[in-house]
């Protein structure tokens, strides 16, 4: 009888936990999808923060160099910043065309692009279909009901040994 009780308990746990998981998945499907999207947004925000921090570090280094009073640096930056022509006979200044700049910008910018859509697991996409959610809900509820009705110990089974013991002791009196 002990094995029967353990087997009954194991089947109850399996059916009940499967049904509860199916019910929870059906009810919380939209929340799981929102959670995946939020996680993706958090990752994008962290990437943006890291990019901004690196830019800030680069600008801080440039400002430190400018504040250092390096006269050569000022001579190189001033004409480019002000848009004046540089008149140094020992230096060659390449002229970039618009097309070449566009190709370079495209090449440099292609590594920074991240996919904008959040990656939602395939099983969650399948469960988000309304017809499948209804089926998942009904099957989960059915498993919970079956486990509660069929695999829980009933009052009749618990009372039989007590009644047998009480009738046996009263007949000997």
């Amino acid at each position: 009888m002990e094995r029967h009780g353990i087997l009954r308990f194991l089947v109850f746990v399996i059916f009940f936990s499967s049904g509860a998981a199916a019910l929870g998945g059906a009810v919380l499907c939209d929340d799981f999808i929102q959670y995946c999207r939020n996680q993706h947004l958090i990752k994008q925000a962290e990437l943006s923060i890291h990019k901004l921090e690196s830019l800030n570090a680069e600008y801080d280094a440039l400002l430190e160099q400018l504040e250092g009073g390096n006269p050569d640096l000022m001579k190189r930056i001033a004409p480019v910043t002000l848009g004046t022509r540089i008149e140094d006979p020992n230096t060659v200044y390449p002229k970039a065309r618009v097309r070449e700049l566009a190709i370079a910008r495209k090449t440099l910018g292609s590594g920074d692009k991240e996919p904008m859509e959040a990656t939602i697991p395939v099983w969650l996409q399948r469960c988000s279909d309304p017809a499948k959610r209804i089926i998942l809900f009904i099957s989960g509820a059915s498993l919970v009901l079956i486990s509660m009705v069929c695999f829980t110990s009933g009052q009749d089974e618990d009372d039989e040994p007590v009644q047998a013991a009480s009738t046996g002791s009263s007949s000997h009196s």
Side-chain angles (χ1 to χ4, degrees):
M1 203 57 165
E2 182 72 26
R3 284 187 179 169
H4 181 67
I6 292 173
L7 180 64
R8 184 180 231 168
F9 175 73
L10 287 176
V11 172
F12 171 77
V13 167
I14 290 170
F15 272 49
F16 186 82
S17 59
S18 300
L23 275 172
V27 171
L28 299 174
C29 186
D30 291 334
D31 294 331
F32 289 148
I33 290 173
Q34 189 64 34
Y35 174 78
C36 290
R37 288 184 181 144
N38 288 342
Q39 290 299 317
H40 180 72
L41 290 175
I42 288 171
K43 287 179 185 176
Q44 281 184 334
E46 288 174 352
L47 287 174
S48 297
I49 288 171
H50 290 303
K51 190 182 294 185
L52 290 172
E53 287 174 348
S54 68
L55 284 174
N56 281 340
E58 289 175 11
Y59 287 136
D60 287 342
L62 183 61
L63 288 174
E64 285 177 12
Q65 288 178 355
L66 287 174
E67 289 174 355
N70 188 353
D72 292 333
L73 184 63
M74 292 301 250
K75 285 181 185 177
R76 288 183 289 168
I77 292 178
V80 174
T81 305
L82 299 174
T84 60
R85 186 134 180 105
I86 302 170
E87 300 296 332
D88 189 5
N90 296 328
T91 307
V92 175
Y93 297 101
K95 301 212 185 221
R97 295 182 189 102
V98 176
R99 181 174 174 228
E100 293 169 349
L101 288 175
I103 291 171
R105 187 173 291 128
K106 183 178 178 183
T107 303
L108 291 174
S110 64
D112 296 337
K113 292 182 181 175
E114 289 289 320
M116 296 305 291
E117 286 298 315
T119 54
I120 298 172
V122 176
W123 64 269
L124 191 55
Q125 290 175 354
R126 285 195 312 255
C127 290
S128 66
D129 181 32
K132 291 180 182 173
R133 281 179 70 180
I134 292 171
I135 292 171
L136 191 63
F137 183 84
I138 291 172
S139 62
S142 301
L143 282 173
V144 168
L145 285 174
I146 288 171
S147 65
M148 294 298 246
V149 170
C150 298
F151 300 113
T152 56
S153 60
Q155 292 295 329
D156 297 337
E157 294 173 1
D158 292 340
D159 291 343
E160 285 177 11
V162 174
Q163 287 177 354
S166 63
T167 56
S169 63
S170 63
S171 63
H172 293 297
S173 310

